[in-house]
Amino acid sequence: MLWPKSLSKEIKTKINLAGYTSFKIGGQAEYFFEPKNLKSLQKILVSAKQAGKRVFILGAGSNILISDAGLDGLVIRLKSEDFRKSSCQGNYVVAGSGIKLNALISFSRKKNLSGLEFLAGIPGTLGGCLMGNAGAWGKAIGELVKQIGVLDYSGKLKLLQGKQLKFAYRKSNLNKYIIIWAKLKLLPENKKVIAAKINKYLLQRKETQSNSLSNAGCIFKNPDKDSAGRLIDLCGLKGKINGGAVISKRHANFILNTGKAKSRDVLSLMDLIQKKVIARFKVNLEPEIKIWK
Ligand SMILES: Cc1cc2nc3c(=O)[nH]c(=O)nc-3n(C[C@H](O)[C@H](O)[C@H](O)COP(=O)(O)OP(=O)(O)OC[C@H]3O[C@@H](n4cnc5c(N)ncnc54)[C@H](O)[C@@H]3O)c2cc1C
């Protein structure tokens, strides 16, 4: 048997992944599992390794494009209560990687702890946020990290801190791990002041990004001292349609799903953008979204 007997009933097969992503695009997962606790997660990782199955860790799916053909392997989502707990230790917040950013921001506000407000409106989990060092308005989550608890893909626990942690613009050195929890350093502040900051950031976001169509946020990383959206706009690509996907007229670094977009529609718009931008500006745009195939 491929999976441990104790877990086999909880492992689903042929699950449509589109609904688990903000883009609403993607085929089926061969296997799909939401572990109830750390032990189950460790067990399944050992089995996946023995069976030679690829493992994909899914957060809120707000930064990924999944292939129309689906994924061979096991998709794991850390959704259960055990992976979403948060607590406060002085000026530190310790939270499970599956917690949504808005829940984490709200928890910290209630504890009169400030520092996470700039993330307001980013639709991800703490795990996805740490993996890609998500940020906005000149700040990024990596600046707040004190410690991270991870598992390697054999299921072994590890504590990462200090120089073991590296964060740069929209990247981290956490790729070979599954993030389980993180300890973040915040600052004491009155909850009313924190609430005002959150509202300010939400408003700023609404002014620049609000969209009724499904998307995955910025498609490309900003090149050094420039903005990918500006370059795409100057290439005249705003509003460009391919199948069910369209380059946003509002924010050129967003690709929108008009309803029935396929991953290939998005990929060919990405290819077009990269070709036009390199031809005109000699700038190689690097994808910010993760492409799973
Ligand atoms: C409308 C919109 C606006 C956005 N605005 C911003 C923005 O301003 N700034 C910004 O930085 N991003 C932004 N994003 C992108 C996205 O929300 C962030 O990157 C977010 O942090 C991703 O988290 P997630 O849980 O959705 O990750 P997912 O998309 O599920 O996964 C992203 C990557 O993280 C990995 N991952 C997720 N959880 C774990 C874990 N526990 N352990 C190991 N790996 C894990 C996945 O394997 C994958 O490689 C935006 C997206 C949308 C749709």
Side-chain angles (χ1 to χ4, degrees), residues 20 22-23 56-64 78 97-101 118-137 153 170 174-175 177-180 205 209 211 214-218 254 288-290 292:
Y20 290 99
S22 62
F23 236 151
F56 301 85
I57 306 295
L58 182 62
S62 64
N63 202 29
I64 46 175
L78 305 183
S97 61
I99 193 170
K100 290 274 185 71
L101 291 177
F118 68 95
L119 296 169
I122 300 182
T125 60
L126 177 60
C129 181
L130 289 163
M131 179 59 76
N133 192 20
W137 321 115
Y153 279 81
R170 296 297 173 270
L174 297 165
N175 295 39
Y177 298 113
I178 297 165
I179 301 161
I180 306 299
R205 190 166 280 275
Q209 290 183 2
N211 256 307
S214 304
N215 65 78
C218 289
F254 275 48
E288 179 172 325
I289 57 167
K290 308 281 183 296
W292 285 5

Side-chain angles (χ1 to χ4, degrees), residues 10 20 94 101 107 178 189 197 207 249 279:
E10 294 169 47
Y20 290 99
V94 180
L101 291 177
F107 173 82
I178 297 165
E189 183 54 279
K197 279 192 196 166
E207 276 162 12
K249 285 186 180 159

Side-chain angles (χ1 to χ4, degrees), residues 249-267:
K249 285 186 180 159
R250 184 139 195 221
H251 187 317
N253 198 14
F254 275 48
I255 293 179
L256 310 175
N257 177 0
T258 61
K260 293 203 172 139
K262 298 284 171 197
S263 66
R264 61 172 178 272
D265 300 337
V266 176
L267 289 171

